[in-house]
Amino acid sequence: MEIVLALENNMKTPASFGGATGVLNVGMTIITIMYVGMGFFGYVKYGEHSAGSVTLNLPNGDILSQAVKLIFAFAIFITYALQAYVPVDIIWNTYMKKRIQNWDKTTMEYLLRIAVVLVTFLLAVAIPLLELFISLFGALCLSVLGIGFPALIEICVLWPERNFGRFNYVLIKDIILIIIGILALVLGTYISLQDIARKL
């Protein structure tokens, strides 16, 4: 969300960001289609033997497979700074910036960024069955943060004036989204814990 707000505020025409054919919807539609397509074709090819990432199913001896893995690794490498922007920004501005007095703030910020990258890298290497833990954290966090909380925040913002639109459709929509978020949290966490217990 923080990245989205920064992107909208820095646009030449911020009004083009939202709307049915705005930058956000068009961009997210293309990305969603690409993700669904990769998941679909990966499952069509490998079926029940699909690994946590389709790149793990690619044969090791094939040159084209190795090229795909290198391109994938490079894509992660060049986008990691963007993915880690929000946690680094929160840690730096909320906890560290005010407490650092005798050190160069620019140097300390770079050290923090390096530390975040190293910690996440070490966790990815050290945790066995990483895809199951990613699934667990996704169920615990993303279902609530991405679905439930935005709807709850919208209700809180509109509640004083009761401006929920005709037939209170905004309130009904938000309540449905909160219920879906809670169901995704409970069911996703339960299924992820079952999978972890089965594999350990």
Side-chain angles (χ1 to χ4, degrees):
M1 179 60 81
E2 195 168 325
I3 295 172
V4 170
L5 293 174
L7 180 62
E8 183 178 6
N9 291 335
N10 289 305
M11 285 179 64
K12 188 174 182 180
T13 55
S16 303
F17 189 77
T21 57
V23 174
L24 179 64
N25 284 338
V26 171
M28 290 307 296
T29 300
I30 293 169
I31 290 170
T32 302
I33 290 170
M34 289 172 65
Y35 270 102
V36 170
M38 284 297 296
F40 174 76
F41 289 114
Y43 190 76
V44 165
K45 171 67 177 170
Y46 299 108
E48 294 296 325
H49 301 290
S50 298
S53 172
V54 73
T55 56
L56 297 173
N57 288 108
L58 298 176
N60 289 326
D62 189 33
I63 295 173
L64 186 59
S65 298
Q66 297 305 314
V68 168
K69 290 179 182 180
L70 283 173
I71 292 169
F72 188 66
F74 181 71
I76 292 173
F77 174 74
I78 62 175
T79 59
Y80 198 85
L82 181 63
Q83 296 170 18
Y85 172 79
V86 174
V88 167
D89 188 57
I90 292 171
I91 293 169
W92 176 252
N93 289 319
T94 307
Y95 300 107
M96 292 188 65
K97 193 174 182 181
K98 299 171 186 176
R99 293 185 170 90
I100 295 172
Q101 303 294 337
N102 301 325
W103 298 85
D104 179 36
K105 291 191 176 182
T106 305
T107 304
M108 293 305 293
E109 185 176 359
Y110 282 127
L111 288 173
L112 171 65
R113 291 177 187 278
I114 292 168
V116 168
V117 171
L118 288 176
V119 166
T120 52
F121 170 75
L122 292 173
L123 286 173
V125 171
I127 295 175
L129 307 172
L130 182 63
E131 66 272 10
L132 296 178
F133 283 95
I134 290 173
S135 174
L136 176 62
F137 286 119
L140 283 171
C141 303
L142 296 180
S143 57
V144 177
L145 292 175
I147 301 172
F149 279 169
L152 183 62
I153 290 169
E154 186 175 35
I155 290 174
C156 293
V157 168
L158 298 177
W159 187 264
E161 297 172 2
R162 307 290 197 276
N163 187 19
F164 294 114
R166 192 172 183 184
F167 303 118
N168 290 328
Y169 78 93
V170 176
L171 180 62
I172 294 168
K173 172 200 69 156
D174 287 340
I175 290 173
I176 291 171
L177 285 174
I178 291 170
I179 292 170
I180 291 172
I182 292 170
L183 285 174
L185 168 69
V186 173
L187 294 175
T189 304
Y190 176 73
I191 292 169
S192 297
L193 289 173
Q194 263 192 334
D195 290 340
I196 291 170
R198 193 179 302 121
K199 290 287 180 72
L200 294 178

